[in-house]
């Protein structure tokens, strides 16, 4: 797992969040069904180079869900009162109990002893760009699911509160702008296999590895071995000339790192630690080269809807009553299916009535200005005004 910098959110997601949160405020309760975020999948996939944010494996786009870092409907937290007991306790259970008392997860074989307690999910973050990642089914539905463990005595967010607040999430966030997963997860050669381990005993690294089965999934262990063989093969030519002068080594080193850390390459966290072990700091210092930590950063390529140009005078929703603002947010994002009419409800007001309410507060607004506010053509606004007399 490495840091991911995906740039600004697509407009389609901000519009959906605008609408869905307005609907919730108008109802006075959380939504019965959470939807409207799946449209961000194409942008997420492109900017993450079609790789899972957690395991870093490339996946088929059509089979990949939009993963919520903080679960949207239900969040399962660790029950810190203790681990479950076995009918036939093992010697390793005592060590797992001691690990758990120190805030660490049980060993690989004992992780099933963790007890989970459910609480409401983070539904209001379901459309938040920082809470969404492109993830594989194995990491999302297969192992993480609704689990979102917190450190002992951490305070979870209140409804509508912005993260992180006083939370102490034990699952690493690959999109965090400050914290680098490499600070917590270290790939090392253990018993002739390269596997992820907690760097410096990091509790967050340990819980992330255990929760996502990064050190025990057969598919991932196979992928690690395959990647190491590929690294050995691709660095072989460089290794044969690594005793040359710094002026010769530097350009070859830069070319090697550029190729191995390309955005489309898998397992860049493993790649970083493998290179660090093969060419340690002293060797790099002696040859005048450095090893920068990888960050998955994709240039934005125009994905998502482009914002419409602003129209004069109307400054968005400033100065309008809060309820009217929410009705506008819903109306400017909602389109009734062709040939159908949406009945007025607590979440939706008919266009003629809504235009009339806007004119009560902005009597001099033109059709163009109201059209820009509601995302409708000026001719549609003109017809709505006529229908109200």
């Amino acid at each position: 797992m490495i840091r991911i910098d995906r740039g600004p959110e697509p407009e389609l997601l901000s519009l959906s969040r605008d609408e869905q949160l307005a609907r919730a405020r108008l109802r006075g309760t959380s939504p019965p069904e959470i939807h409207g975020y799946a449209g961000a999948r194409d942008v997420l996939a492109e900017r993450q180079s079609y790789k899972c944010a957690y395991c870093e494996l490339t996946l088929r786009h059509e089979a990949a869900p939009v993963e919520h870092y903080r679960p949207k409907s239900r969040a399962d937290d660790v029950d810190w009162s203790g681990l479950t007991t076995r009918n036939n306790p093992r010697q390793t259970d005592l060590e797992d109990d001691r690990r758990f008392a120190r805030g660490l997860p049980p060993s690989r074989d004992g992780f099933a002893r963790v007890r989970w307690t459910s609480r409401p999910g983070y539904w209001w973050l379901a459309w938040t760009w920082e809470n969404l990642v492109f993830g594989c089914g194995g990491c999302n539905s297969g192992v993480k699911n609704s689990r979102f463990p917190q450190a002992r005595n951490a305070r979870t967010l209140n409804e509508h509160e912005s993260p992180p607040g006083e939370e102490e999430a034990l699952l690493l966030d690959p999109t965090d702008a400050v914290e680098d997963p490499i600070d917590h997860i270290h790939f090392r050669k253990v018993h002739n296999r390269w596997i992820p381990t907690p760097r410096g005993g990091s509790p967050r690294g340990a819980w992330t590895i255990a929760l996502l089965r990064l050190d025990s999934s057969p598919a991932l262990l196979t992928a690690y071995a395959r990647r190491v063989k590929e690294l050995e093969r691709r660095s072989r030519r460089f290794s044969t000339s690594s005793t040359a002068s710094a002026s010769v080594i530097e350009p070859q080193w830069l070319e090697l790192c550029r190729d191995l850390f390309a955005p489309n390459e898998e397992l860049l966290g493993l790649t970083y630690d493998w290179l660090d072990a093969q060419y340690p700091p002293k060797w790099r210092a002696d040859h005048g080269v450095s090893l920068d930590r990888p960050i998955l950063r994709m240039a934005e390529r125009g994905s998502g809807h482009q914002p419409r140009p602003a129209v004069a005078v109307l400054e968005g929703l400033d100065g309008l009553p809060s309820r009217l603002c929410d009705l506008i947010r819903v109306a400017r994002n909602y389109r009734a299916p062709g040939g159908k009419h949406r009945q007025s409800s607590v979440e939706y007001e008919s266009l003629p009535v809504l235009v009339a309410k806007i004119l009560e507060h902005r009597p001099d607004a033109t059709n163009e200005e109201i059209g820009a506010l509601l995302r409708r053509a000026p001719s549609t606004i003109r017809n709505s005004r006529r229908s109200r007399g």
Side-chain angles (χ1 to χ4, degrees):
M1 185 186 297
I2 63 169
R3 277 185 58 197
I4 301 174
D5 179 5
R6 299 164 309 170
E9 71 175 5
E11 189 196 20
L12 60 89
L13 184 64
S14 60
L15 292 176
S16 184
R17 179 175 63 251
D18 205 37
E19 174 190 0
Q20 298 299 331
L21 292 180
R23 289 181 181 275
R25 287 190 294 268
L26 290 168
R27 280 192 308 267
T29 183
S30 58
E33 296 182 4
I34 300 176
H35 54 79
Y37 55 82
R41 188 177 70 161
D42 289 348
V43 184
L44 286 169
E46 179 184 2
R47 296 194 194 170
Q48 288 180 210
S49 200
Y50 300 91
K51 294 186 296 185
C52 175
Y54 298 126
C55 69
E56 289 194 78
L57 295 186
T58 305
L59 57 153
R60 293 174 56 193
H61 181 208
E62 61 271 19
V66 172
E67 153 68 1
H68 291 80
Y69 169 69
R70 285 179 168 83
K72 59 186 184 299
S73 301
R74 188 190 80 195
D76 295 334
D77 203 349
V78 174
D79 181 350
W80 286 103
S81 63
L83 300 173
T84 60
T85 57
R86 301 182 195 267
N87 293 330
N88 299 305
R90 308 175 185 176
Q91 183 63 34
T92 55
D93 289 352
L94 293 177
E95 176 58 28
D96 283 339
D97 290 338
R98 288 191 287 267
R99 286 173 56 86
F100 193 72
R102 300 198 308 270
L104 297 172
S107 60
R108 183 187 309 171
D109 294 336
F111 191 73
R113 296 179 61 207
V114 175
R115 295 188 295 183
W116 300 89
T117 179
S118 294
R119 54 182 173 79
Y122 303 82
W123 67 267
W124 65 97
L125 300 176
W127 310 274
T128 302
W129 181 238
E130 292 76 13
N131 195 47
L132 303 181
V133 295
F134 186 66
C136 70
C139 288
N140 180 14
S141 304
V143 288
K144 175 182 178 287
N145 212 334
S146 58
R147 291 173 175 174
F148 192 67
Q150 299 279 340
R152 195 190 308 268
N153 300 322
R155 186 187 72 80
T156 57
L157 296 179
N158 294 320
E159 194 171 61
H160 293 294
E161 189 176 359
S162 298
E166 296 180 29
E167 288 195 332
E168 296 180 48
L170 292 173
L171 175 66
L172 292 170
D173 180 1
T175 68
D176 191 298
V178 177
E179 195 163 37
D180 191 337
I182 290 178
D183 288 330
H184 300 272
I185 296 179
H186 181 201
F187 279 87
R188 295 189 301 119
K189 194 173 185 179
V190 179
H191 300 306
N192 209 34
R193 292 192 308 180
W194 282 82
I195 59 172
T197 61
R199 192 181 296 272
S202 165
R204 297 191 68 199
W207 277 99
T208 299
I209 291 169
L211 182 63
L212 300 176
R213 297 180 61 214
L214 297 181
D215 65 342
S216 59
S217 164
L220 285 177
L221 294 177
T222 299
Y224 300 156
R226 183 174 61 243
R227 178 61 175 176
V228 168
K229 287 184 179 180
E230 178 71 6
L231 293 172
E232 292 172 346
R233 183 187 67 80
R234 293 168 66 177
S235 65
R236 191 171 297 128
R237 186 179 67 175
F238 172 80
S239 298
T240 59
S241 62
S242 61
T243 57
S245 65
S247 60
V248 173
I249 289 178
E250 182 180 15
Q252 294 184 356
W253 174 261
L254 292 175
E255 181 182 5
L256 178 69
C257 290
R258 183 179 63 251
D259 291 344
L260 295 181
F261 289 129
N264 63 311
E265 294 281 334
E266 295 183 330
L267 300 170
L268 300 188
L270 168 59
T271 300
Y272 172 84
D273 285 325
W274 186 88
L275 286 171
D276 187 46
Q278 294 296 116
Y279 308 98
K282 184 180 184 307
W283 183 92
R284 299 197 299 267
D286 290 344
H287 293 85
V289 297
S290 61
L291 178 62
D292 296 329
R293 290 187 174 188
I295 299 177
L296 183 58
R297 181 183 289 114
M298 296 289 290
E300 188 176 5
R301 301 175 185 174
S303 298
H305 298 295
Q306 297 301 313
R308 300 185 182 188
V311 179
V313 182
L314 276 182
E315 296 293 334
L317 303 176
D318 295 345
L320 297 177
S322 59
R323 177 176 173 76
L324 178 57
C325 288
D326 282 338
L327 288 170
I328 292 172
R329 289 186 177 101
V330 173
R332 69 184 179 185
N333 291 295
Y334 177 79
R335 296 292 188 274
K340 297 183 179 180
H341 297 281
R342 181 65 180 266
Q343 297 296 318
S344 296
S345 69
V346 68
E347 301 176 35
Y348 180 84
E349 191 64 88
S350 66
L351 190 58
V353 172
L354 192 55
V355 170
K357 288 183 176 181
I358 294 172
L359 289 171
E360 289 177 7
H361 298 275
R362 294 180 178 172
D364 297 327
T366 66
N367 295 332
E368 288 74 14
E369 292 165 346
I370 298 177
L373 186 66
L374 293 174
R375 293 178 173 265
R376 298 291 198 281
S379 58
T380 301
I381 303 301
R382 181 167 54 251
N383 293 335
S384 297
R385 296 177 78 162
R386 287 174 180 171
S387 67
R388 294 289 293 179

